[in-house]
Amino acid sequence: MSDTPEVDRTWRSPVYRVWYELHGFVDEGLRDPILTQPEILAGMGPFEEVAEAVATARAQKVVLGLLKARLDAEPAIAHRFVAQPGWPWLAKLVAAVRLKELASARIVQRGARGRASYDCTELVRTYHGKSLMRSLGFERRRVLGKDELAKLEEACARIKLTLPRVVEPTTTERFFAGEDETTSDETED
């Protein structure tokens, strides 16, 4: 016998309705469940004796708590939702996670100043970063040149966003800093 509560899969169940609506806001190609009905039901408490509207509101509150925890642990889940989810609180939650993710994306400068390249892989992995790169015509690019970076920074300045830039030291700089890139694979017998 299982400890998980039994789920009523009819429209009479507020848990099923809320779960079904939530997964209606997930992008078409990504339909595997973000939350399961037993997870929602476990946080509900007894709801059979309360009014239907109260039970539905309680189910949404449980979903909100579970989604906040899930999105804090793995922000990439926000990519699975459609651009504008139908529940206002869900739209705000997803937008906040997507913006936080965008603001934390770094651009890594590789090479010397004269021939530097700028790796935007972290930016492209974010929801809004991907659309920003697409709008500039760089959708298939991960590494940009100096002129392309200037275009990207100009676009970010229009939305009052400054992306953090990290400078990766060159091989020569690592050598003179005393960092040893070669690690010995020798083992003692």
Side-chain angles (χ1 to χ4, degrees):
M1 190 116 192
S2 172
D3 289 340
T4 59
E6 189 62 35
V7 177
D8 181 6
R9 297 193 191 299
T10 65
W11 275 101
R12 290 174 294 149
S13 170
V15 173
Y16 182 76
R17 277 195 313 270
V18 168
W19 176 85
Y20 188 79
E21 282 182 60
L22 172 69
H23 287 88
F25 303 135
V26 175
D27 205 5
E28 286 296 320
L30 308 166
R31 285 292 180 160
D32 57 321
I34 292 172
L35 297 175
T36 61
Q37 292 178 46
E39 285 178 303
I40 299 169
L41 195 58
M44 288 278 295
F47 65 91
E48 290 80 12
E49 64 275 352
V50 297
E52 187 175 325
V54 173
T56 301
R58 197 182 297 171
Q60 284 189 355
K61 184 176 180 182
V62 169
V63 167
L64 173 64
L66 291 171
L67 275 178
K68 275 185 178 179
R70 203 68 44 93
L71 289 168
D72 284 343
E74 190 179 346
I77 292 174
H79 295 223
R80 296 174 56 192
F81 287 98
V82 295
Q84 195 64 9
W87 294 335
W89 60 265
L90 180 61
K92 287 179 185 177
L93 179 64
V94 169
V97 170
R98 288 173 177 170
L99 288 174
K100 182 178 172 185
E101 183 184 41
L102 177 64
S104 68
R106 300 177 309 155
I107 296 175
V108 180
Q109 176 183 335
R110 293 200 171 104
R113 287 185 206 166
R115 331 167 289 232
S117 61
Y118 302 91
D119 186 359
C120 299
T121 303
E122 284 186 35
L123 179 66
V124 174
R125 287 186 183 145
T126 67
Y127 181 85
H128 291 302
K130 191 181 303 179
S131 62
L132 181 63
M133 294 289 278
R134 188 179 311 121
S135 72
L136 294 171
F138 305 142
E139 65 264 9
R140 297 182 149 263
R141 308 272 315 269
R142 300 284 188 265
V143 179
L144 303 177
K146 189 174 184 173
D147 296 337
E148 296 163 331
L149 179 70
K151 281 177 141 177
L152 176 64
E153 287 178 337
E154 182 183 314
C156 289
R158 278 187 250 137
I159 58 172
K160 297 180 182 166
L161 174 70
T162 304
L163 295 173
R165 192 182 312 176
V166 177
V167 179
E168 186 177 273
T170 63
T171 307
T172 306
E173 290 171 339
R174 276 192 231 119
F175 175 78
F176 286 112
E179 295 178 23
D180 186 20
E181 284 189 23
T182 59
T183 56
S184 174
D185 289 341
E186 299 174 16
T187 56
E188 290 185 28
D189 292 38

